[in-house]
């Protein structure tokens, strides 16, 4: 059960002090990012390394997180979906320091329509590009009606509530200390336009539509949080004209796969566990199918047969 009163929540419990400091820094920044959004719903006039137009909110969140995370002792490098190259934070990654990969505002196209968005965090024990097997922790902030943060490490997955302190900084407290996917899945959300889906995925989707309820909001963190809460399947599939899909391996797919797998679920690119996908570059894209193990297995079988 989610604790109804965050004031009763427990202290965060990461055993690795650098991981704890990273998520403290992300939580500290969250209220400031949130407060800045109303005035930053417009295009910034630039594109990111994936060729997508960037909103002022994306850039602002990126700057705040870069400042907060490069100041953490034990962070050797800050790598962002919005930056071509990594920011050197001192300390050798893989030799005592971590690389932190950030999607500063996931789902930022929801800013105009005022819907959910988030910040995705991956903590890698290797210089990027690396596989998801090099993650030591991952998490995301969800700017919904409440600001929550999911944190996963080798101990498991926790849900926390982030509250704004009087000095404007955010503090976090655990409201659910052992988050696992419900056994009986209820919801699904698949991205992309149906006419752009390959036939084998479309046939699979038709089956799922008969079994589960559609919950799609256009922000991966919001949609994955539905799956973590109610059980089910989220996908941003391979598309006919974009076989690598849309989502980025280092910043989006790996952290989400790490979280959902720690919560008892599974994640695949259609064939291979996301955490085993070998990247060529930091901004590589990958199809992502993530959720309850049984559904992910069925999806893999459907794509293999198709
Ligand atoms: P972003 O990080 O630039 O916001 O892009 C990623 C987002 C995901 O949150 C979401 O799943 C997907 O893009 C939605 O894409 P679309 O608008 O094409 O459905
Ligand atoms: Mg994103």
């Amino acid at each position: 059960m989610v604790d109804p009163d965050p004031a009763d929540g427990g202290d965060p419990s990461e055993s690795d002090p650098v991981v704890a400091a990273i998520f403290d820094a992300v939580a500290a920044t969250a209220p400031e990012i949130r407060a800045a959004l109303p005035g930053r719903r417009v295009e910034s006039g630039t594109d990111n390394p994936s060729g997508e137009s960037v909103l002022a909110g994306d850039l602002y969140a990126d700057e705040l997180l870069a400042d907060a995370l490069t100041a953490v002792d034990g962070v050797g490098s800050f790598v962002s979906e919005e930056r071509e190259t990594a920011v050197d934070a001192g300390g050798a990654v893989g030799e005592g320091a971590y690389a932190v990969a950030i999607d500063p505002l996931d789902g930022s196209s929801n800013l105009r329509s005022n819907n959910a968005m988030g910040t995705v965090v991956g903590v890698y024990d290797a210089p990027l590009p690396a596989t998801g097997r090099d993650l030591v922790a991952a998490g995301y902030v969800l700017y919904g009606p409440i600001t929550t943060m999911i944190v996963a490490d080798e101990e498991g997955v926790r849900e926390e509530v982030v509250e704004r302190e009087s000095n404007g900084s955010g503090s976090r407290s655990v409201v659910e200390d052992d988050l696992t996917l419900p056994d009986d899945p209820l919801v699904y959300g698949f991205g992309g336009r149906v006419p752009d889906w390959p036939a084998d995925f479309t046939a699979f989707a038709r089956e799922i539509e008969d079994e589960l309820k559609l919950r799609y909001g256009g922000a991966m963190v919001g949609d994955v949080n539905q799956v973590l809460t109610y059980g089910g399947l989220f996908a941003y599939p391979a598309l006919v004209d974009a076989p690598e899909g849309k989502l980025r391996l280092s910043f989006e797919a790996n952290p989400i796969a790490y979280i959902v797998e720690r919560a008892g679920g599974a994640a695949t690119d259609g064939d291979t566990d996301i955490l085993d996908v070998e990247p060529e570059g930091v901004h590589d894209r990958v199809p992502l199918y993530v959720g309850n193990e049984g559904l992910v297995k069925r999806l893999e079988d459907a794509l293999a047969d198709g």
Side-chain angles (χ1 to χ4, degrees):
M1 266 300 283
V2 172
D3 189 327
D5 180 1
D8 295 339
D11 287 334
S13 60
E14 297 81 28
S15 58
D16 180 329
V18 177
V19 170
I22 288 168
F23 285 99
D24 285 348
V26 173
T29 313
E32 212 179 326
I33 293 178
R34 189 172 185 125
L37 296 178
R40 292 183 171 76
R41 301 169 75 179
V42 293
E43 310 263 329
S44 67
T46 56
D47 285 354
N48 71 13
S50 302
E52 298 158 340
S53 83
V54 172
L55 289 165
D58 291 304
L59 291 185
Y60 187 76
D62 177 67
E63 289 293 335
L64 282 184
L65 289 160
D67 288 350
L69 288 165
T70 53
V72 172
D73 251 1
V75 171
S77 134
F78 172 84
V79 196
S80 163
E81 185 176 299
E82 307 300 347
R83 293 172 191 248
E84 200 71 59
T85 51
V87 179
D88 186 355
V93 173
E95 294 164 37
Y98 296 138
V100 182
I102 295 280
D103 180 356
L105 258 194
D106 177 62
S108 57
S109 66
N110 276 358
L111 201 44
R112 272 186 70 195
S113 59
N114 187 25
N115 281 286
M117 267 164 296
T119 294
V120 191
V121 184
V123 183
Y124 292 84
D125 192 13
L128 297 186
T131 73
R133 297 291 170 202
D134 287 309
L135 283 166
V136 296
Y140 58 79
V141 178
L142 177 56
Y143 308 102
I146 315 163
T147 306
T148 54
M149 185 161 77
I150 298 292
V151 180
D153 61 10
E154 61 182 8
E155 278 129 63
V157 185
R158 290 157 315 268
E159 183 181 26
E160 304 176 350
V161 166
V162 177
E163 288 187 287
R164 186 179 180 278
E165 300 298 326
S166 51
N167 65 1
S169 177
S171 66
R172 58 190 180 117
S173 52
V174 177
V175 289
E176 171 68 64
D177 66 5
D178 185 20
L179 202 63
T180 53
L181 279 177
D183 290 336
D184 293 326
L186 286 181
V187 300
Y188 76 99
F190 300 158
R193 277 165 21 102
V194 177
D196 297 332
W197 291 350
D200 48 7
F201 181 73
T202 307
F204 172 77
R206 294 285 98 93
E207 281 179 31
I208 296 298
E209 284 163 8
D210 283 341
E211 299 170 28
L212 305 177
K213 276 198 286 193
L214 172 62
R215 291 287 173 88
Y216 189 74
M220 178 191 66
V221 284
D223 294 326
V224 166
N225 209 58
Q226 298 255 17
V227 168
L228 261 187
T229 308
Y230 301 116
L233 188 66
F234 169 80
Y236 203 106
L239 304 177
V240 171
D241 292 331
E244 304 308 324
K246 175 178 185 195
L247 301 176
R248 272 120 313 198
L249 179 66
S250 302
F251 306 106
E252 292 163 324
N254 269 337
I256 292 301
Y258 182 94
I259 294 163
V260 173
E261 292 193 14
R262 285 288 182 281
T268 181
D269 69 354
D271 170 59
T272 302
D273 188 319
I274 287 286
L275 299 178
D276 290 317
V277 173
E278 292 282 348
E280 284 170 18
V282 169
H283 295 278
D284 280 11
R285 298 176 193 267
V286 72
L288 173 66
Y289 312 86
V290 59
N292 285 71
E293 218 171 342
L295 292 168
V296 171
K297 178 80 181 72
R298 270 176 61 192
L299 173 276
E300 283 184 331
D301 291 346
L303 298 190
D305 295 344

